[in-house]
Amino acid sequence: MGMIGGSLEAFIGAVHRRGAALDGEIELVCGAFSSDPAKSKATGEALYLSPDRVYGSFEEMILAEKALPEGERMDFVSIVTPNHVHFPAAKMALENGFHVVSDKPATLNSKEAYLLKDIIEESGLIYALTHNYAGYPMVKEARALIKAGAIGKIRKVIVEYPQGWLAQLVEATGQKQAAWRTDPARSGAAGGVGDIGTHAENLAEYITGLKITEICADLTIFVEGRQLDDDANMLLRFDNGAKGILHNSQICNGEENDLNIRVYGEFGGLKWKQMEPNTLILTNQENGSRIIRTGVGNLSKAAQAHTRQPAGHPEGYIETFANIYRNFTYALRARWGEEAQKNATGGLNGEGENTSGYDPEIHDFMGIEEGLRGMVFIDTVLKSNAAGAVWTKMEV
């Protein structure tokens, strides 16, 4: 793996590195860790990388790695920069033959997302987007239960993502994370909606299997001096006729990362909270509620495949990234096997049969389709809000 972004002072880069390393399948071999070459060099030294594999820019890294022999160069790129670098870095990597794992959102805007989709399809390479919350075992279980009809036709979806860390004008203090996330040039046209609202949107669609078709959105900038939204309240319509509510906020003073979802159908409901990730609650009006726990009982194959700890041990945030990186390596090894058409660990046998145990339905990860929906979601929310909180079609 080569990494773009993720210097020592960054947050998400270290999360990606830890997640990627957890299964021993991926080795970080090079990086362009900062737009400041000195910071990139210092990060490379701290990570014990060879100095000649630490670069001053992603352009330099991609071209230099491409020039190395195939067995020595990086196999894929992990992009963990602020949003405005996601598209140019992914574009150049793909056009030079490197697979990509990117932090979300996929791009700075929807125009770039459509272009990136075309580039990915033309390249034939693998692109993964780290909407990590879908990596929790109980999220997989909720999706499987809904798919199996456990709660019947979905009628109501409520998804929330409250935070409190931007309750004050933190960006004015020089706090790096706040500075770029509230800057339209680096974050995009939306603030909290782009940062955490897209996580809520993605989780709602992933768990239910439904698509949002219309949005009525009301955005607010509560903190004086801030450039982008820090609070959002939305009504949703889904493609099966279900109705929904999505609330995301970064000014809910005292809140941490309380992403949670409730889904109600004809026969029951499901509740899941990110801060208590091992617990899924299946509700029913006649029979009462059932508590489903990670690692306990007859869980779906997808939930089992993403469970790493014995029952009673919390599945954590880092593990969700590890699940994505592991699934990505399964897909990459299967691709190599297809290309080689021979027996190989994680590949195919001589008859073209998958012998790795890799199942793309179970070992899934988000890609450019979800990335594109996330960008169009942002556009739709902004359009609805600008028109005075009117119903606006989400057209992808």
Side-chain angles (χ1 to χ4, degrees):
M1 177 174 80
M3 179 167 276
I4 298 172
S7 69
L8 294 177
E9 60 187 35
F11 159 63
I12 204 66
V15 173
H16 278 257
R17 286 192 290 269
R18 291 164 187 155
L22 204 58
D23 289 296
E25 289 285 323
I26 297 169
E27 179 187 5
L28 179 67
V29 295
C30 63
F33 300 104
S34 172
S35 56
D36 180 342
K39 288 183 180 179
S40 183
K41 181 181 178 182
T43 303
E45 289 176 353
L47 297 172
Y48 306 104
L49 295 182
S50 174
D52 62 349
R53 303 289 291 278
V54 180
Y55 303 98
S57 69
F58 72 79
E59 295 92 345
E60 179 191 358
M61 182 181 84
I62 289 169
L63 294 178
E65 290 294 313
K66 185 180 179 181
L68 292 174
E70 189 171 351
E72 296 179 24
R73 69 174 74 128
M74 64 182 179
D75 293 308
F76 73 94
V77 170
S78 175
I79 302 171
V80 295
T81 64
N83 302 348
H84 69 295
V85 183
H86 290 184
F87 173 72
K91 177 178 184 291
M92 186 172 182
L94 291 161
E95 290 177 342
N96 283 275
F98 295 106
H99 304 275
V100 171
V101 174
S102 176
D103 200 52
K104 52 72 57 187
T107 55
L108 188 66
N109 53 55
S110 58
K111 181 182 177 181
E112 289 183 348
Y114 279 107
L115 289 172
L116 184 59
K117 184 175 184 291
D118 290 341
I119 292 167
I120 292 166
E121 290 174 353
E122 185 176 342
S123 73
L125 298 170
I126 302 173
Y127 173 89
L129 190 68
T130 56
H131 271 292
N132 67 292
Y133 298 110
Y136 279 110
M138 287 297 97
V139 168
K140 304 292 187 188
E141 183 68 9
R143 176 179 167 90
L145 285 168
I146 287 173
K147 205 175 214 181
I151 66 171
K153 182 181 177 182
I154 294 171
R155 295 170 169 171
K156 182 85 169 181
V157 180
I158 303 169
V159 60
E160 304 172 303
Y161 200 153
Q163 295 177 334
W165 74 292
L166 292 179
Q168 309 301 330
L169 195 66
V170 184
E171 56 266 41
T173 68
Q175 212 266 28
K176 182 179 177 180
Q177 294 299 319
W180 78 258
R181 292 175 193 274
T182 57
D183 176 9
R186 290 179 287 173
S187 182
V193 168
D195 191 17
I196 59 175
T198 49
H199 275 307
E201 167 262 332
N202 179 261
L203 188 70
E205 292 197 336
Y206 181 76
I207 284 180
T208 65
L210 303 178
K211 301 296 183 189
I212 297 168
T213 57
E214 291 183 88
I215 303 171
C216 179
D218 178 25
L219 308 187
T220 307
I221 301 175
F222 275 108
V223 177
E224 187 176 348
R226 180 161 292 151
Q227 298 183 71
L228 296 173
D229 58 277
D230 50 27
D231 184 79
N233 300 279
M234 306 170 209
L235 298 177
L236 309 175
R237 290 173 178 162
F238 291 87
D239 57 0
N240 77 329
K243 302 297 178 69
I245 299 169
L246 190 157
H247 145 67
N248 69 260
S249 182
Q250 295 177 310
I251 53 84
C252 290
N253 210 309
E255 292 287 354
E256 299 173 40
N257 278 277
D258 193 18
L259 174 63
N260 66 89
I261 185 167
R262 287 165 279 166
V263 182
Y264 300 102
E266 296 171 286
F267 312 131
L270 288 167
K271 300 178 183 180
W272 180 80
K273 294 171 68 74
Q274 195 268 154
M275 291 176 65
E276 299 175 11
N278 278 33
T279 300
L280 175 67
I281 300 175
L282 177 62
T283 63
N284 181 274
Q285 196 70 26
E286 287 74 36
N287 301 320
S289 297
R290 172 190 164 205
I291 297 174
I292 304 170
R293 294 281 292 168
T294 301
V296 178
N298 186 27
L299 301 178
S300 66
K301 289 182 179 179
Q304 292 178 49
H306 294 83
T307 299
R308 292 172 171 273
Q309 311 298 338
H313 296 75
E315 298 284 339
Y317 184 71
I318 299 294
E319 284 92 330
T320 65
F321 283 88
N323 284 336
I324 293 170
Y325 274 98
R326 183 203 60 188
N327 292 353
F328 175 81
T329 62
Y330 284 169
L332 191 52
R333 289 186 183 279
R335 173 70 58 84
W336 290 338
E338 290 171 5
E339 292 167 352
Q341 284 294 297
K342 65 181 181 181
N343 278 321
T345 302
L348 305 177
N349 65 17
E351 287 72 46
E353 179 186 352
N354 191 331
T355 61
S356 66
Y358 166 61
D359 183 340
E361 289 296 314
I362 293 175
H363 305 107
D364 61 348
F365 50 84
M366 305 298 166
I368 190 56
E369 295 294 340
E370 292 84 3
L372 179 58
R373 287 194 64 80
M375 299 314 301
V376 174
F377 167 76
I378 293 170
D379 288 350
T380 308
V381 169
L382 293 174
K383 186 177 179 181
S384 172
N385 179 71
V390 301
W391 284 106
T392 306
K393 290 186 180 298
M394 182 171 161
E395 298 176 313
V396 181

